[in-house]
Amino acid sequence: MGLKNRFLGICISRKLEGLHSQFTLRNVIEGIGVEVMYEMYTPTITKIEVIKLEKRLDDDLTFLIDAYPEYSTFDMNMEPTPHIPGKPVPVNPIKVKLQPPPWTRRWELFDYKGIEDCWTEQTSYFKRKLSKSKLTDLRKYDLIADYREVATNVDEELAIEQEMLDFETKKLQAGVTKRKILRCAEQSLSQDLTDLRKYDLIADYREVATNVDEELAIEQEMLDFETKKLQAGVTKRRILRCAEQSLSQDV
């Protein structure tokens, strides 16, 4: 067995899921903040022990990096606090106080509940420097915010939303599903095709036609006439020329 090391600290963040889960512990040792990131299912970890089980006001406690050291200092020989199984996990409502800026992140832009309001206690220089936020610049593109400011007829909008909600409720109560809608569309389409059937003259002709031999004879006679005309070379130009000659002779 190799050398074993034991590290104790507060869990400030958890990342990823499944076999790739990671968690980070933080502790202040001899005045220096130390963060160690572990992989949950790595074989190099022989044991994970929960010394004290509690919740904070925020899931992410990364802001403890910029907080005062007393909020992240824990004794390495700290005795475990027992927790009765089945009981809810207690919530620690403590709010930490951040050190004067600059900070590692713009914590004032995030909605952290576990940070004490220390923004107003900072110097005017950092107030001017950190107040220039990109979020403020993007405010002019927020169309919804502008709409909320100019929207006056709220009752009409609420009535429209209620009408839409009632329609969805009635549709669910009536059992109108996608299959029923498609079935109704097919029925209406078949009715439209039936209505257009009465304008199909060829179909009516096919229904009333009985003497097929006579029709075939007429078609054959027309075909023979066209064939003879082509064989004799009788074109439209020759017919007109003959007509002109006969007319000149008469004159």
Side-chain angles (χ1 to χ4, degrees), residues 172-186:
L172 292 176
Q173 292 176 354
V176 180
T177 59
K178 184 178 180 180
R179 182 176 297 178
K180 287 188 176 181
I181 294 174
L182 293 176
R183 190 180 302 166
C184 294
E186 291 177 357

Side-chain angles (χ1 to χ4, degrees), residues 63 66-71 95-99 114-118 121-122:
F63 54 82
D66 293 320
Y68 284 98
E70 57 264 23
Y71 296 106
K95 291 189 176 183
V96 303
K97 187 175 182 180
L98 299 181
Q99 300 183 26
I115 299 179
E116 186 179 346
D117 186 16
C118 58
E121 300 178 3
Q122 309 306 326

